[in-house]
Amino acid sequence: MKSSIGVGLIGTGYMGKCHALAWNGVKAVFGDGPRPRLVHLAEVNRDIARQKADEFGFAKATGDWRELIADPDVDVVSVTTPNAFHAEMAIAALEAGKHVWCEKPMAVALADAERMAAAASASGKVAVLGYNYIQNPLIRQIGTILADGTIGAVNHVRLEMDEDFMADPEALLYWKSEASSGYGALDDFGVHPLSLLQVLLGPVTKVFAHLSKPYADRPTKEGTRRAVETFDTASVLFEMGAGISGVMALNRSAWGRKGRIALQIFGSKGTVVYDQERMNELQLYVASDRPTEQGFRTILAAPQHAPYDRFIPAPGHGLGFNDLKIIECHELLKAIGGESARVIDFSTGLVIEKVVHAMYESHRRGAWVVLE
Ligand SMILES: NC(=O)c1ccc[n+]([C@@H]2O[C@H](COP(=O)([O-])OP(=O)(O)OC[C@H]3O[C@@H](n4cnc5c(N)ncnc54)[C@H](O)[C@@H]3O)[C@@H](O)[C@H]2O)c1
């Protein structure tokens, strides 16, 4: 493995900063793997790019992302721009021989996601998606609990994802309410709980969905009002293999909910419960406990839940959202180094995209849709 790796970052908003923190922190946290060299940063214009390059520690700055992709010092490209740009940027990077770390959702159109998966496979490069929640050490622990049979055979799953960043009906309209960003809560949001399902229990096989718009229009910064083109809520019934049924509810206009990804997995011998708003704990109920002591126990994240130990030696002190991105960055570097890694690559990402598009199709038709 090379002792360093050249990094390019496109976009410096919410996720761009998150990737920058991860690239800056990964070597200090994990100690192994190549040291990231922060080579090139791209934004919508050179002034913003220069300012952010200074803040994040990147050497070069450009207002043209294609310059970054053409840079021979860049080995891996972080794509953290709005959804509509993912396909074009990720495919260009792969065709230029770069590894890619692209934010979710993969793309807006299924055909674009398919082109991305094909480009990744043709390039032989590593291409992974920003599904950070699968990296929580306690989500890994849920995987262990399921594999150990602690809660028996899983028969039902309930998932909820709620935030309130679109709850204010008078908040200005921006790209997340435009059809160019996708369907709305389903692909902006639903892909995260679906990523948890994918790593914990495998693919969804059948869906029935209903989408809705809490607000028909929103104000614009020009002082007019424009129609909301996306659906901020989704209610979905689904089935998975091995007789598992499920319910998923999504709402990005849910006042009071700040970062809820609530997961309940019910099995023949117990139940496991997790909520991203309390990301350092999980609840486990085991039916074989003595009846006099039965109840949900709270398990706090601790060094025993790898890789928590790489961040903090003390139990119960807690990781944060940005730490998940550092773990994701480390897994990406492992994949680039040829090691087995816990990532959702473009081919598994495509499986999730197909589920999302099947859900929209179900809403449109008012019928169950079966995935091939
Ligand atoms: N993994 C997660 O938990 C998570 C959370 C939030 C957002 N996201 C995803 O991250 C992506 C970005 O979302 P965000 O919330 O960071 O958005 P944002 O609006 O905060 O940031 C987007 C950035 O991209 C820049 N940009 C736009 N067009 C560009 C171009 N042509 N060239 C260079 N830069 C350009 C913008 O100037 C902005 O700085 C989206 O796909 C979103 O779905 C993922």
Side-chain angles (χ1 to χ4, degrees), residues 12-15 43 80-81 83 85-86 103-105 130 132 192:
T12 62
Y14 172 16
M15 274 306 109
E43 250 298 340
T80 72
T81 47
N83 309 347
F85 298 103
H86 292 182
E103 268 313 317
K104 48 51 62 180
N132 23 279
H192 277 306

